[in-house]
């Protein structure tokens, strides 16, 4: 609560044109707790940010992505075209929290929920590596190098043009 209050105070001070909020569906909150919490945060955030985008939670792997890839590499398995470090992207909880996010965002004209999971986990399958590049840096967080490759897609989905 203290961190959130400080973050919202900083956001209010900066008054950004665009605020992108990450999310995680792994917290064991009830629907009421999720929706009341999101409504409260969005009420404060939209008071100073022109637009707010909530990113859908990244799918979690049931294993540590880099460790799985390292085990394969150590065994002499090439990382390109290997799917043994893969798992399904969707879970009932993820879909549930995403629906709550969309419902609450709909109450705020300047808020949108953006789902990048079809790009992160194409075909609803999450892989520790793709084309020889680590996708995940653990079981939930994405690798920075991989994320940089998503910038244009994210900009397109949020309708944010960047001048060259």
């Amino acid at each position: 609560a203290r961190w959130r209050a400080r973050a919202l105070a900083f956001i209010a001070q900066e008054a950004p044109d665009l605020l992108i909020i990450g999310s995680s569906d792994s917290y064991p909150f009830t629907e009421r707790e999720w929706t009341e919490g999101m409504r409260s945060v969005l009420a404060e955030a939209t008071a100073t940010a022109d637009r707010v985008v909530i990113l859908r939670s990244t799918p979690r792997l049931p294993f540590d992505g880099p460790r799985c890839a390292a085990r394969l590499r150590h065994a002499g398995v090439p990382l390109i075209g290997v799917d043994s470090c893969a798992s399904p992207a969707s879970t009932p909880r993820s879909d549930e929290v995403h629906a709550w996010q969309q419902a609450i965002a709909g109450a705020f004209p300047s808020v949108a929920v953006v789902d990048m999971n079809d790009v992160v986990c194409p075909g609803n399958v999450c892989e520790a590596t793709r084309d020889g590049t680590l996708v995940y840096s653990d079981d939930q967080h994405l690798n920075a190098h991989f994320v940089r490759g998503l910038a244009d897609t994210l900009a397109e989905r949020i309708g944010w043009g960047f001048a060259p």
Side-chain angles (χ1 to χ4, degrees):
R2 203 173 335 174
W3 177 89
R4 184 177 47 254
R6 287 185 191 138
L8 288 168
F10 176 78
I11 291 163
Q13 179 183 350
E14 295 296 313
D17 295 330
L18 173 66
L19 173 63
I20 299 176
I21 300 175
S23 66
S24 174
D25 58 35
S26 63
Y27 296 107
F29 299 132
T30 64
E31 178 180 3
R32 185 173 143 254
E33 290 168 329
W34 267 103
T35 56
E36 286 178 5
M38 281 191 292
R39 186 176 288 113
S40 172
V41 167
L42 291 176
E44 284 192 60
T46 57
T48 56
D50 293 342
R51 291 182 57 214
V52 177
V53 170
I54 301 169
L55 293 178
R56 181 179 183 173
S57 181
T58 302
R60 294 180 73 102
L61 297 175
F63 51 83
D64 183 279
R67 283 189 182 159
C68 184
R71 276 195 309 274
L72 289 177
R73 182 132 174 112
H74 182 71
V77 178
L79 295 182
I80 297 176
V82 173
D83 63 359
S84 58
C85 289
S87 71
S90 293
T91 66
R93 177 65 174 184
S94 173
D95 294 340
E96 184 177 62
V97 171
H98 182 59
W100 300 338
Q101 289 172 330
Q102 291 175 311
I104 294 302
F108 295 87
S110 61
V111 177
V113 179
V114 172
D115 184 352
M116 296 287 292
N117 290 351
D118 63 316
V119 181
V120 174
C121 301
N124 201 37
V125 175
C126 299
E127 299 173 287
T129 65
R130 185 172 315 137
D131 300 324
T133 298
L134 279 172
V135 174
Y136 283 82
S137 61
D138 54 23
D139 67 334
Q140 178 181 3
H141 299 96
L142 298 176
N143 178 291
H145 179 73
F146 175 77
V147 168
R148 280 191 283 280
L150 303 178
D152 290 341
T153 303
L154 177 61
E156 179 182 306
R157 291 191 181 183
I158 64 175
W160 194 265
F162 294 100

